[in-house]
Structures are given as C-alpha cells and as structure tokens.
Amino acid sequence: QVQLAESGGGLVQTGGSLRLSCVSSGHTDSTNVMGWFRQVPGRDRVFVAAIFNTGGRTYYSSSVKGRFTISRDNAKNTVYLQMNSLKTGDTAVYYCAATPGSNPFSGYIYWGQGIQVTVSS
C-alpha cells in the first residue's frame, strides 16, 4: 500500500502562484509514475501533470502547459506542482496519485484525499 498526502492548497488571486506538495509513504518503491489530477463539482476528474520517478520524464495537459511545473524529490518521497499565472478556471480540488504502471495519463491506483485550490478574480 502507498499513502499520499497533499498540502499547499488555498486561496489565491488571478495571476498568483501556489505550490502543492504530495508526500508518499508505505511501499513507495512500487510506484513508477506520480501524477496530479483535478476535479470540479459535477465534472470528471481530469489529468493535470505527471512525472516518472526514474528519468524524470514529465507530461502536462494542454490547459496548464507552460504555467505549471511538476517536479520530485525522491529523497523526500515528495512530488511538487508549482502553479503560476493561475486563472479562475484552475479552481478545483487537486489530487495526487501514483501508479506502478507506465501510463502517465491513466491507471492510477493510489490517491490522496485531495486539496482545494481556489483562484479568485
């Protein structure tokens, strides 16, 4: 089992920045890819970004590419999501996820509890 815990969410104005953190514990050697997803009420959870634990390949949705940066610190079992130039459309609950698989866009089996990010105009 892998446990994931997000932190760093909150309220920010349009154009501002936030950094989310996700600390993993448990059988972390069973995770191959770490990802971030987000969800707004009434809509499906959608992919935001992902990073491979080995090699560091990164992937982004088109809506955040160029504004968000995913990174990791393997020594701390922590993945970060640096969010810049935030827009009201980025308002959502953000989830950290992990998978032992190799598909960065789906197949995640471990999820955090989610953290609220609210961008005000």
Side-chain angles (χ1 to χ4, degrees), residues 59-101:
Y59 300 81
Y60 298 94
S61 69
S62 58
S63 61
V64 308
K65 194 169 187 178
R67 300 188 298 121
F68 290 12
T69 303
I70 188 170
S71 62
R72 81 217 188 277
D73 183 337
N74 288 343
K76 296 181 179 180
N77 290 327
T78 301
V79 173
Y80 304 98
L81 185 68
Q82 178 66 45
M83 306 185 293
N84 299 329
S85 303
L86 283 162
K87 307 174 181 178
T88 55
D90 294 317
T91 296
V93 176
Y94 283 72
Y95 295 88
C96 177
T99 175

Side-chain angles (χ1 to χ4, degrees), residues 8-97:
L11 174 65
V12 64
Q13 290 188 327
T14 300
S17 298
L18 280 176
R19 188 177 80 158
L20 304 183
S21 299
C22 173
V23 178
S24 57
S25 60
H27 293 169
T28 57
D29 57 347
S30 67
T31 62
N32 187 37
V33 186
M34 301 292 295
W36 288 96
F37 289 73
R38 65 187 183 187
Q39 187 173 25
V40 299
R43 302 185 69 176
D44 292 337
R45 195 173 300 183
V46 297
F47 171 82
V48 174
I51 186 168
F52 277 76
N53 285 349
T54 302
R57 282 174 291 164
T58 58
Y59 300 81
Y60 298 94
S61 69
S62 58
S63 61
V64 308
K65 194 169 187 178
R67 300 188 298 121
F68 290 12
T69 303
I70 188 170
S71 62
R72 81 217 188 277
D73 183 337
N74 288 343
K76 296 181 179 180
N77 290 327
T78 301
V79 173
Y80 304 98
L81 185 68
Q82 178 66 45
M83 306 185 293
N84 299 329
S85 303
L86 283 162
K87 307 174 181 178
T88 55
D90 294 317
T91 296
V93 176
Y94 283 72
Y95 295 88
C96 177

